[in-house]
Amino acid sequence: MPTPIEALDGVPNAAQALPKLTTSGQPSAAHFEALRSAGGAVVLDLRDPSEPRPFDEPALVAGLGMAYHNVPVTPETMTDDTMDRILGVLRANAHRDVLLHCASANRVGGPMIAFLMLDHGLSGDQATDQAIRLGLRSREVMEWGLEYAAKQST
């Protein structure tokens, strides 16, 4: 049986961020099917529902028996509430195989910075380096994660 990261072979920026957490850009329908076969249980999609896609991701994921969560990350939604929702899904599913994705894995970076700092004890520099390895490219997304973590730590 393949691992979740093996199931995402060919997906942009697919990475095993933590033992039960895989991150990536947009998977194909076939990748979701392979992910389910590899034990994938939860999909946390950071894309806005209005972003174009070649298939109905919520229906496909639900049809495969996996839980689907959509918490859109856009310039307008990079708020504490959005981060709370994302981290809430990650924390509630820490024992399950989770895929956290957006279109390219850039938007994954902000929540990963906050999650790695707050829940896994990494420093801001360590968490940022890890997020860049996962696909982070946006200064705004990076600052969102760092600022959220700083507010939660005070």
Side-chain angles (χ1 to χ4, degrees), residues 75-137:
E76 298 77 28
T77 65
M78 286 194 293
T79 63
D80 287 356
D81 179 61
T82 298
M83 188 71 80
D84 289 342
R85 292 174 55 209
I86 293 167
L87 296 183
V89 172
L90 295 177
R91 290 168 178 155
N93 291 285
H95 62 287
R96 304 172 79 194
D97 282 315
V98 176
L99 170 63
L100 174 63
H101 85 87
C102 61
S104 67
N106 174 50
R107 289 173 277 181
V108 165
M112 283 305 303
I113 288 171
F115 190 55
L116 292 169
M117 290 176 70
L118 297 171
D119 293 63
H120 296 276
L122 273 65
S123 70
D125 287 345
Q126 291 169 323
T128 299
D129 288 347
Q130 175 79 336
I132 290 169
R133 186 184 70 77
L134 299 174
L136 174 68
R137 298 295 176 262

Side-chain angles (χ1 to χ4, degrees), residues 16 32 40 62 105 125 148:
Q16 193 70 53
F32 281 114
D125 287 345
Y148 178 89

Side-chain angles (χ1 to χ4, degrees), residues 2 4 11 18 28-29 36 41 46 52 55 73-74 83 92 97 103 116 121 125 129 131 137 151:
V11 176
L18 294 166
S28 68
R36 179 62 192 129
L46 303 183
F55 59 93
V73 173
T74 67
M83 188 71 80
D97 282 315
L116 292 169
D125 287 345
D129 288 347
R137 298 295 176 262
K151 283 188 263 184

